[in-house]
Amino acid sequence: MTGSRRIDWAALPPGVRTAVEGLLGGAVVDAVSLAGGFSEGVAARLRRADGRDAFLKAVSARTAPAVAGFHRREAVVTGLLPPAVPVPRLLGTHDDGDWVALLFEHVDGALPAQPWRPGDLDRVLTAATAMAHALTPSPIDASATAAPRLGGWPSLTGRDELAALTRLSPWAAGHLDELIGLEAASAATLAGDTLLHGDLYPFNVMLSARQVHIIDWPHAWVGAAHCDVLTLLSSAVLSGLDPRPRAETNPLTRRLHPREIDTFLAAHAGFLMRLAVTAGPAADPHLIGMAAALGGASLRWLRRRTS
């Protein structure tokens, strides 16, 4: 699934296109908008006359200030990641105060099929586990990263919010006090010194024949090593897969106390459901629909664990 507010390469201002071609080292002879992800602006594969490809993401800070901020933070994070991390290399950036553009090496791969194929899920879990080891301790100071995208249940206690939550998840609405309590307890179980991707869903993964590539790093944060793996496992619920067997065997989760998993799932679902419930009419409906689906998946796993 892709956000509904993408623009084409040709819609960029001429000065921005010229700057990007300078980073690319030649004129763009072909540009193809790519599916996947939800960011506004350009997401396109660019091709030079000599056949060299690169991937561009670009957005206007005037029309999408939050996304521009994400791009700027991603440039910092990806520029500091060690070679062992399977991330497309950042080739250059352009920031004129309005338009922010990031140019990456092109990855010859595709998003994982959804519903998850068990083999693909296992490949990505293996890569995420190795990545957590490579990023412990974090090579980036926590002050340069984002706040974790976790938590939100206390903001859903109002009458209107609770009514909207009831429509999305009657179980969550009926267990709101317990979810608030689990979220409050999560701070102690989320502490750590691992640099985490922070948004590790299937739309931020590219699979090639030999490699798993982890893309889109603006939401990286420093915390407990198991968080990215639990995020991936929660997305498997949407595919009808039981995450429990993989959680019981993965090196980062198999020794966790049950409370550590429960508090993460509660905080994770809280962020997503708050996003789905409180988004205004201007929000991208594709993004909100995906947030509700992923939040509901985490809640279903949590419900099985606590019932």
Side-chain angles (χ1 to χ4, degrees), residues 63-122:
T63 59
V67 178
F70 295 159
H71 284 9
R72 287 170 174 142
R73 188 187 301 128
E74 181 176 11
V76 172
V77 172
T78 55
L80 295 173
L81 291 174
V85 180
V87 178
R89 184 167 59 92
L90 180 65
L91 301 177
T93 64
H94 166 77
D95 189 343
D96 59 18
D98 178 9
W99 282 93
V100 183
L102 279 62
L103 192 69
F104 292 91
E105 65 178 346
H106 172 67
V107 170
D108 187 14
L111 298 173
Q114 295 298 296
W116 274 110
R117 297 169 180 162
D120 287 348
L121 176 60
D122 290 336

Side-chain angles (χ1 to χ4, degrees), residues 175-267:
H175 292 77
L176 190 54
D177 288 342
E178 294 95 322
L179 291 167
I180 290 172
L182 285 170
E183 179 183 317
S186 68
T189 63
L190 296 175
D193 63 349
T194 300
L195 182 67
L196 300 155
H197 180 275
D199 200 31
L200 197 49
Y201 299 112
F203 46 79
N204 285 330
V205 174
M206 297 285 287
L207 297 180
S208 61
R210 296 185 177 182
Q211 182 70 60
V212 175
H213 306 271
I214 309 299
I215 62 174
D216 292 344
W217 284 76
H219 306 301
W221 60 287
V222 178
H226 58 265
C227 293
D228 281 342
V229 165
L230 289 179
T231 300
L232 272 173
L233 286 173
S234 69
S235 74
V237 177
L238 281 180
S239 302
L241 299 176
D242 182 1
R244 179 179 174 179
R246 290 175 172 84
E248 291 178 341
T249 57
N250 183 276
L252 296 179
T253 55
R254 64 191 179 196
R255 294 186 180 90
L256 292 177
H257 189 281
R259 180 82 167 174
E260 293 180 275
I261 298 179
D262 294 345
T263 56
F264 174 82
L265 291 175

Side-chain angles (χ1 to χ4, degrees), residues 131-191:
M131 185 173 73
H133 288 303
L135 294 177
T136 305
S138 172
I140 301 174
D141 189 88
S143 63
T145 63
R149 289 152 65 90
L150 298 168
W153 294 116
S155 66
L156 303 183
T157 57
R159 184 184 65 182
D160 293 343
E161 292 79 7
L162 187 57
L165 177 62
T166 301
R167 291 191 290 271
L168 289 175
S169 174
W171 182 84
H175 292 77
L176 190 54
D177 288 342
E178 294 95 322
L179 291 167
I180 290 172
L182 285 170
E183 179 183 317
S186 68
T189 63
L190 296 175

